[in-house]
Amino acid sequence: MSIARRILYLVALLLFSSRLQAAVMVSPVIIDAYQVERGSAFTVTMMNPKTYPLDVALEWGWFTMSSDGTVLLDEKAAPELDWLYLSNPVCHLEPESTTQIVITVNRADFTAVTPVLYISLQDPQSPVAVRVAVLFALSSEQPTRPVQIEFIESCQTDLRIRVTNPNPCHIYFDGVVELYRSAELIDEISITPKLVLAQSQRDISVPLNPGADQVIVTSDAAAADLMVVLPVEL
Amino acid sequence: MLTHSHLRNLTWGFCLLILVSGMIIWGQNAAAETVLVSFTVEPYTLLELPEPSISFSPVPPGSSVEQTIKAIVKANVTWELRISGTQSARASDGSTVGISSRIYAYDFLGAWEQLGSSAQRIYVNQPPTDAEGVTVDIPLRLEADYNDPPGTYQTEIQLTLVPMI
């Protein structure tokens, strides 16, 4: 084989679509509910901000979370677990308009489920698929027990707080971190609500003021405040 | 010298003053009645491809070429952007073929990671945006393989916008 033929050019076109820009806005992208039952319904609004119509496909998957809060997506939804009902897997969005879809709880024989609805722009001409994930945290129960703050530890420039949710359903953890130096308050950091899935743990990191020698974490979601004396750097 | 008549008038005047003051205070309180208004701002995200047309330059086998996709994200929650791909492609004749050439994306750790069926994270823990959104660059690298016959291929990639909670 000649060198000329060896150096054959491979042209890979990722996108050569002549189609217009594609965009979709979705709200809400996080839906959580307690005590859901058969017939409970949730509405998701999709907006097409462009001046031309768009089609979107709706597909189900599952998600879970790692302890650091990373959402782990499972692309393969088990269709037999038809807990949620969606009337149409495809939706047409008129230009510059909003469309609502209703998701209904089909079966409520679960304690806690975390499905994810993928809303994908449909453009058969474009090899790039664009999609937005809508995360659901649904439970037939409601939390009855407080979150446990397991420990607080300093990791270089951050403070790591581990919380455990003993409930069979998800819960939100929020609170305040107070940092002290020589018994004097030097910093106060709010923890925005963090989702902790049913019977799982979550690590929450907040920036650590290097001069702090004591930390107190308070939260209405927790059974008790936790105070920790930090090691002093010599 | 105060007479009984004066005292009575003063008493009435004082009572009237108290009454008028009370009515004024009551009226002011009534005017200051407040109504609690509650509202909910829902979490939203928007994902847009501003440049739907992009292509890699022709590349000989064994070499690589880079290209960047742009995406616009708007969100009022913390978000992540992920990318996935496939090892199949559509050839010039329209047939679907398996390809050995690989496409890599520059991930959030600063490494080139091959696109696969499981989405990899390219932007993580991104803060909420303003109304204009943010434009993000997604660097891609194509490594052409000797096993792929010359030709033009079209393969699919997928961008997924994920809210963080």
Side-chain angles (χ1 to χ4, degrees):
Chain A
M1 188 179 289
S2 69
I3 294 176
R5 291 198 63 182
R6 271 178 168 274
I7 308 175
L8 293 171
Y9 282 77
L10 174 72
V11 180
L13 292 181
L14 247 187
L15 294 162
F16 54 80
S17 169
S18 59
R19 298 283 294 203
L20 299 168
Q21 301 168 2
V24 64
M25 191 188 94
V26 178
S27 177
V29 287
I30 301 162
I31 294 176
D32 82 288
Y34 297 119
Q35 294 183 305
V36 297
E37 53 191 14
R38 188 171 186 273
S40 297
F42 309 99
T43 302
V44 175
T45 301
M46 299 175 294
M47 180 189 175
N48 173 11
K50 300 300 179 186
T51 55
Y52 39 87
L54 291 173
D55 288 326
V56 294
L58 308 168
E59 293 175 310
W60 288 106
W62 299 102
F63 83 93
T64 185
M65 295 178 85
S66 60
S67 62
D68 68 355
T70 301
V71 174
L72 306 173
L73 300 174
D74 181 1
E75 304 282 339
K76 299 177 181 65
E80 66 273 17
L81 302 178
D82 55 347
W83 281 313
L84 296 174
Y85 173 73
L86 194 58
S87 60
N88 198 341
V90 178
C91 196
H92 183 73
L93 306 181
E94 295 295 339
E96 297 177 322
S97 67
T98 59
T99 301
Q100 292 189 324
I101 54 170
V102 178
I103 296 113
T104 309
V105 176
N106 204 31
R107 292 167 36 198
D109 54 341
F110 58 80
T111 304
V113 289
T114 52
V116 51
L117 178 65
Y118 295 111
I119 298 176
S120 308
L121 287 174
Q122 290 287 95
D123 184 353
Q125 301 297 314
S126 174
V128 171
V130 173
R131 64 180 188 174
V132 170
V134 180
L135 306 179
F136 288 76
L138 306 177
S139 178
S140 56
E141 306 277 337
Q142 64 176 351
T144 55
R145 300 169 63 188
V147 168
Q148 295 161 3
I149 303 174
E150 300 289 350
F151 64 75
I152 304 169
E153 65 180 11
S154 57
C155 306
Q156 297 173 338
T157 58
D158 288 338
L159 199 63
R160 190 160 63 108
I161 304 158
R162 172 164 293 175
V163 296
T164 298
N165 174 15
N167 293 284
C169 56
H170 66 278
I171 199 168
Y172 280 97
F173 176 84
D174 60 358
V176 175
V177 178
E178 295 174 338
L179 297 169
Y180 292 85
R181 182 195 299 145
S182 304
E184 185 180 340
L185 182 66
I186 58 170
D187 204 358
E188 200 172 66
I189 303 163
S190 292
I191 303 173
T192 56
K194 305 289 184 192
L195 181 71
V196 189
L197 295 183
Q199 293 171 331
S200 64
Q201 294 184 321
R202 179 150 183 188
D203 293 343
I204 298 160
S205 290
V206 296
L208 174 62
N209 189 317
D213 57 20
Q214 190 182 61
V215 56
I216 297 176
V217 177
T218 58
S219 170
D220 291 339
D225 299 345
L226 187 61
M227 188 271 284
V228 169
V229 176
L230 298 172
V232 179
E233 291 182 15
L234 299 175
Chain B
M1 186 174 175
L2 289 173
T3 62
H4 281 290
S5 172
H6 282 123
L7 279 173
R8 194 164 47 241
N9 287 342
L10 276 173
T11 305
W12 274 110
F14 183 73
C15 289
L16 190 62
L17 183 67
I18 295 289
L19 183 66
V20 170
S21 302
M23 289 179 71
I24 289 171
I25 291 168
W26 179 81
Q28 284 177 337
N29 282 343
E33 280 292 333
T34 56
V35 176
L36 281 179
V37 178
S38 67
F39 60 95
T40 303
V41 177
E42 292 191 312
Y44 88 96
T45 58
L46 175 144
L47 181 57
E48 176 176 354
L49 281 181
E51 297 171 6
S53 179
I54 181 176
S55 64
F56 284 112
S57 305
V59 59
S63 301
S64 64
V65 63
E66 294 178 9
Q67 184 58 275
T68 298
I69 299 178
K70 289 185 184 299
I72 296 173
V73 176
K74 296 180 187 178
N76 62 357
V77 291
T78 307
W79 54 274
E80 285 193 2
L81 193 58
R82 305 182 183 194
I83 191 168
S84 57
T86 173
Q87 278 305 111
S88 64
R90 196 167 65 197
S92 309
D93 60 1
S95 61
T96 300
V97 296
I99 53 171
S100 300
S101 297
R102 295 178 177 86
I103 296 175
Y104 297 80
Y106 198 69
D107 72 6
F108 74 104
L109 295 172
W112 289 102
E113 292 291 335
Q114 185 182 349
L115 296 190
S117 56
S118 67
Q120 65 189 66
R121 304 158 76 196
I122 44 178
Y123 283 91
V124 301
N125 292 326
Q126 296 298 301
T129 72
D130 59 17
E132 300 302 313
V134 293
T135 301
V136 295
D137 289 335
I138 305 163
L140 298 176
R141 172 183 288 171
L142 169 73
E143 285 188 4
D145 193 276
Y146 288 95
N147 290 318
D148 290 328
T152 300
Y153 300 88
Q154 188 175 2
T155 187
E156 292 184 354
I157 63 172
Q158 185 171 59
L159 297 176
T160 305
L161 182 59
V162 182
M164 302 302 296
I165 45 181

